[in-house]
Amino acid sequence: MKRILLACFLLTATCSVSFVQTASAQTAPPTVTLADFTAKINLMDTYIGAGDMTNANATWLLVHNMMLNILAKSKYSIHNPTSPADKTAHEAIFTNQYNIYTQVWGMKTDLATNRAALHTKLTDFGATIY
């Protein structure tokens, strides 16, 4: 029993050390273009309209990941500004993006019912892409 416990502690320590050692400088997240984002929104809307909720949900996951990348880019821009004014501008954009993201997140549970509102909010989110 003691050997198993010791092995668990060693494994935990090894994992912890490897995570600490692989930490690196913050890099810019992947860029999402407005055209790509809009195309995915429209594709999801088409699937919802056709009643194909399997593909609509799969496309939602892609749209969601794109939103997370956009939010990550905004955070990166806040932490790597070119000037104090640049940082302030990015903070305002991030706040707007996050507020829209929060509203969209609340609508994702029922894509069909929230179709029109979801499309509008996702379009609003897309307008914040820079």
Side-chain angles (χ1 to χ4, degrees):
M1 185 66 172
K2 289 181 183 180
R3 288 181 185 173
I4 293 173
L5 187 58
L6 178 61
C8 289
F9 284 132
L10 290 175
L11 181 61
T12 302
T14 303
C15 290
S16 299
V17 170
S18 67
F19 288 133
V20 171
Q21 290 175 346
T22 59
S24 60
Q26 185 180 21
T27 59
T31 299
V32 176
T33 66
L34 178 57
D36 290 341
F37 189 71
T38 302
K40 287 295 182 212
I41 293 168
N42 291 334
L43 180 61
M44 183 178 74
D45 189 60
T46 302
Y47 286 139
I48 295 169
D52 185 354
M53 298 315 289
T54 301
N55 282 321
N57 283 313
T59 306
W60 157 254
L61 292 174
L62 297 173
V63 169
H64 182 253
N65 285 334
M66 292 172 109
M67 292 174 75
L68 292 177
N69 284 332
I70 293 164
L71 287 167
K73 181 179 179 188
S74 293
K75 280 183 159 181
Y76 178 82
S77 297
I78 290 168
H79 294 290
N80 297 289
T82 57
S83 67
D86 184 48
K87 180 176 182 171
T88 302
H90 288 298
E91 288 171 336
I93 291 168
F94 177 78
T95 300
N96 190 25
Q97 288 173 337
Y98 187 75
N99 289 336
I100 296 169
Y101 173 83
T102 304
Q103 293 168 358
V104 168
W105 185 257
M107 291 185 247
K108 70 149 178 90
T109 56
D110 191 351
L111 297 177
T113 301
N114 298 320
R115 178 182 176 192
L118 191 58
H119 193 275
T120 300
K121 284 298 175 185
L122 287 171
T123 302
D124 292 347
F125 188 88
T128 67
I129 296 174
Y130 56 94

